[in-house]
Amino acid sequence: IGHPEIFPLVFTTKTQEIFNCRVDEDVTEENCFKLIKKEDILQDLKTRAAVSDFHPVKKVVLEYPGEELLVVFDAKFQYGQNFYFVASEEAKENLLKPPETAEEKEEKEEDREETLEVHPYKPPVQKPWVSLGSEKEVEEESVKNKVIKIKYMISRVRRKFGAPITFTDKNASHVKDSYIECTSYQDKTYSIKMLEKDVGIQMVPKVREACTQTKWTYPKNAATQYFPRQLSNEEKEESLASEKLKEFLTSVHLRMEIALQQNEIMNAFFDDWKALAEDESSSGGKPDVYLKAYQSFTDLRYLKDRTISCVCWHPTIYGIIAVSARQRLSYEEQANLSDKSLLQQSVILFWSFFDPVHPQIMLECPEDISCFHFSPSDPNIIAGGCINGQVVLWDISQHEEKLQNAKTDADGIKVTAVNMANASILYMLQYIYTSPSLTEVEQSSTEPPLVRYCAVSSLQYSHKKPVTDIHWLPDYFEDNRMGATFENRAEICVQLVTCSPDCSVFFWDIPATKRPEQPSSEKVKEKDIFYMPPDVPDTSKHLDLCWKPLTKINLRESDTNREYAPVRISLRELHYHYKTSEKVQSLNTLEVPAKESLYTEMTTPSSKNLKALESISTSFFVGTEDGEIVYSDWKMEIDSDSAKPHTQKYTIHTETINTLQRSPFFKDIILSVGGRNFAIWKEGITNGPILQSSCPAGRYTAGQWSLTRPGVFFIGRDDGNIDIWDLLKKTHEPSHFQNISESMITFISPWIASSKQHFLAVSDDLGVLRVLEICQTLSDPARNEHATVLDYFEREVKYLKSREQEFQEYQEFQ
């Protein structure tokens, strides 16, 4: 009392050690002052929070203006505690520097009088008072009561003056209608409307003093109990035998029984903290999974009113992507493609990230291309399949430098990496709102070079229906006419496999033999016989119009002789990767011997000195037009003219198979997409798929495995959405989905640009190609993801086998 700046505190032994103010060591009764930095006190409040001895005065410490606080050791408990804290700078200075005594003051004054000079006394002169207007301000600011006070006059009968007043209760039923009404009346005093009122109000915050520490008026010994206090055996027996405990158990046993039943219904040991952490793993409660739009491509001349049939990334050059398109035809028109006249020129367009408006090069096609692929050993060689059944080869080695310099060319026409997206959007707006004529487009854009195909298969020996799938065989083996596999010592991909709904699978051969030097006369005759355009290499002209397949496989059911119409094929040995470290020779060095006639049928290279590869798997999966998955083998008898292997079919899909792809991480895991569901198969398991999706609202039109995560794959739908499946999170539904286009998704192709940049090319039915950047969550594999996904597949295989065994046991029991 009388010292509001002093706050008593209790310092425990721990606090005394922290701030070096131990009693009788750091502070004593004579030397009782201790200066503590404000930063150290704030750090102690953060570290120990409510346990800190400064917590009761936390607000005072925060508002303290100085940098050091004075703590005084109160040995005599003058303020009730062993320490007290000074909360003002003035009081701190007074304690550290006490006021001088009267004797000291007199000594100082005497010293001053000796030093000061003696001045004569001058009486003060009276000056007139000058008003500066302060009395007017005081008058204006003074509070005056201008409100008329309300007066009440209460009268009473004179005879009742001084009489006692008694109050009694009255029943409402005694009054008429059992209702007493106090009617309101109009008071003219309050009917005057106030137009203006000058009121001064001062807002003052309420001040409240509170403390959480109990007052310690006298010292007292205290201790902490570390062990529980237990009853003795006699007390326990007495407590258990008491009537009070029996009554308590009788009253609560019903509630306890209900609680136990509820624990059986719900998981009482559910970890809410883990569930909360999973929900808050990303900002805003939304998962950090997305496909970011990076680039889009379209063309008014070659892609207008056409659907993109195939998309392929260039294996070695950054930012180059090739697309093929075909006409949007109905099922009846597709069945009668021979009667359909081509109104537009069929080409394969090469686009670059650095020029989203103009194609880099174009490949001329004899018919619309339904599928094509780069050669794994030489990216300059491209093989494609036409809708009329022919197989086409291109060689773009002369234009490789143009593709590599696409960035510098784009800089020349002022399309930089900064305005790529703007240029693409501007081009799309022109495509939607302004439809310029063909001549205007040709005049406004630079025409890319048109590369003619260097070889096309014979129409007589080609497929009778569109080539729906094409693949290069690996560069470590090749097939011969008898169906045997031999090693390929040249390590160059020289064979193709194609399939078509005409119930056949063809193997094609490209001879890799070098031509010896020819006499000049023979070269002149050869030039006279064949005319080739200047931009087409004459390397494969021996294949033109006389190229026929090396091996034919007719897919038929062995029992009913029913034929299958394959549209997708997947070979186990197609699990290859593109070579990017060294450049392999192109088709310019693959020439035919001079003795061979130009229009003779293609011969098979001799295999006398080649070693047969017995470990190569010749089994393959095929997806048909009817939605069936067929498992077959291309091995055949030597005496047979064509292969009729044993087949095994599975009917899972209800519509045409559009995707049949092996996992990049597991050779025996295959993804099939078709109709309203998809399935994952394991080679060698004949019971059926190890995973099959339920039927969604729309149709699945495309599918693709992730190149970096074993448990992730993408499924395109006919409503323009892409379902992202992550087997580590969910197996019954997609973990995420995203809308990409307004029309049907036709093709999906992923690409790894770098370790931190992954792309996904998505094409739609309107002829628009979109390049999306895959987020880090979908591109970076989780810890032990490969082993986890493999374990999941093995568990599903065990489940299938056990179910088949139970079914067989049930049949035997029946």
Side-chain angles (χ1 to χ4, degrees), residues 199-205:
V199 180
I201 300 175
Q202 183 179 4
M203 300 298 294
V204 179

Side-chain angles (χ1 to χ4, degrees), residues 264-289:
E264 291 294 332
I265 297 174
M266 63 175 291
N267 185 11
F269 302 100
F270 180 72
D271 194 346
D272 294 324
W273 178 256
K274 289 184 178 180
L276 183 65
E278 183 179 0
D279 293 339
E280 295 181 351
S281 59
S282 58
S283 60
K286 297 181 180 179
D288 190 16
V289 176

Side-chain angles (χ1 to χ4, degrees), residues 240 357 470 592 639 677 746 772 799:
L240 291 175
V357 180
I470 185 171
V592 69
D639 299 335
N677 61 347
T746 59
L772 309 173
Y799 171 73

Side-chain angles (χ1 to χ4, degrees), residues 18-19 36-45:
I18 292 175
F19 295 100
I36 302 176
K37 292 184 178 181
K38 183 179 178 181
E39 297 177 357
D40 298 339
I41 298 177
L42 295 178
Q43 183 63 30
D44 182 68
L45 288 171

Side-chain angles (χ1 to χ4, degrees), residues 408-666:
T408 56
D409 296 342
D411 292 340
I413 59 175
K414 298 180 180 180
V415 179
T416 60
V418 178
N419 59 7
M420 277 195 301
N422 297 333
S424 178
I425 295 173
L426 179 61
Y427 191 73
M428 288 296 297
L429 292 176
Q430 292 177 356
Y431 171 71
I432 296 174
Y433 296 106
T434 66
S435 54
S437 61
L438 186 59
T439 56
E440 293 177 354
V441 174
E442 290 178 351
Q443 294 174 1
S444 62
S445 62
T446 58
E447 189 69 21
L450 182 64
V451 181
R452 192 178 185 274
Y453 51 89
C454 56
V456 65
S457 64
S458 172
L459 191 60
Q460 178 183 358
Y461 297 103
S462 299
H463 290 282
K464 306 305 177 185
K465 289 187 178 181
V467 179
T468 54
D469 204 1
I470 185 171
H471 294 284
W472 289 87
L473 290 181
D475 55 0
Y476 53 82
F477 82 95
E478 56 181 320
D479 190 21
N480 64 0
R481 289 184 179 275
M482 301 306 167
T485 55
F486 291 88
E487 63 176 347
N488 183 1
R489 294 176 181 174
E491 293 188 356
I492 300 176
C493 295
V494 293
Q495 288 191 341
L496 297 166
V497 58
T498 60
C499 67
S500 174
D502 60 355
C503 309
S504 62
V505 175
F506 287 177
F507 288 85
W508 305 80
D509 193 9
I510 306 174
T513 56
K514 291 197 174 184
R515 175 185 299 181
E517 291 294 331
Q518 294 181 358
S520 59
S521 60
E522 292 184 14
K523 291 183 179 179
V524 173
K525 289 181 181 179
E526 190 173 326
K527 291 182 180 179
D528 294 339
I529 296 174
F530 294 99
Y531 169 74
M532 299 293 288
D535 60 341
V536 178
D538 58 352
T539 56
S540 301
K541 62 184 180 182
H542 62 283
L543 300 176
D544 199 11
L545 298 177
C546 64
W547 188 17
K548 64 179 182 179
L550 179 69
T551 305
K552 299 180 181 179
I553 299 177
N554 295 324
L555 294 178
R556 294 181 181 178
E557 196 170 356
S558 57
D559 299 335
T560 60
N561 205 22
R562 174 176 171 268
E563 293 184 339
Y564 298 108
V567 292
R568 292 290 184 269
I569 185 171
S570 175
L571 281 74
R572 183 183 180 90
E573 299 302 330
L574 290 181
H575 194 79
Y576 53 73
H577 297 281
Y578 286 100
K579 294 183 177 180
T580 58
S581 59
E582 56 182 357
K583 185 177 179 181
V584 191
Q585 64 184 80
S586 63
L587 267 182
N588 293 330
T589 60
L590 306 181
E591 299 183 354
V592 69
K595 296 181 179 180
E596 187 178 1
S597 176
L598 295 173
Y599 277 103
T600 56
E601 294 183 356
M602 186 177 62
T603 59
T604 308
S606 176
S607 61
K608 293 180 180 179
N609 299 325
L610 297 180
K611 181 181 178 182
L613 299 178
E614 298 296 339
S615 61
I616 297 299
S617 173
T618 56
S619 302
F620 61 93
F621 278 86
V622 162
T624 66
E625 276 188 334
D626 299 329
E628 298 172 336
I629 301 296
V630 181
Y631 184 63
S632 184
D633 196 323
W634 78 58
K635 285 184 179 179
M636 54 184 168
E637 298 295 335
I638 298 180
D639 299 335
S640 61
D641 296 335
S642 61
K644 294 181 181 179
H646 174 71
T647 59
Q648 187 175 5
K649 70 172 183 177
Y650 306 94
T651 305
I652 297 295
H653 305 280
T654 57
E655 298 181 23
T656 303
I657 304 296
N658 54 65
T659 301
L660 191 66
Q661 185 197 14
R662 292 180 181 266
S663 171
F665 300 91
F666 312 102

Side-chain angles (χ1 to χ4, degrees), residues 313-330:
W313 294 89
H314 197 285
T316 57
I317 303 177
Y318 175 84
I320 300 297
I321 186 170
V323 297
S324 63
R326 59 176 175 82
Q327 292 184 351
R328 289 200 294 265
L329 305 176
S330 61

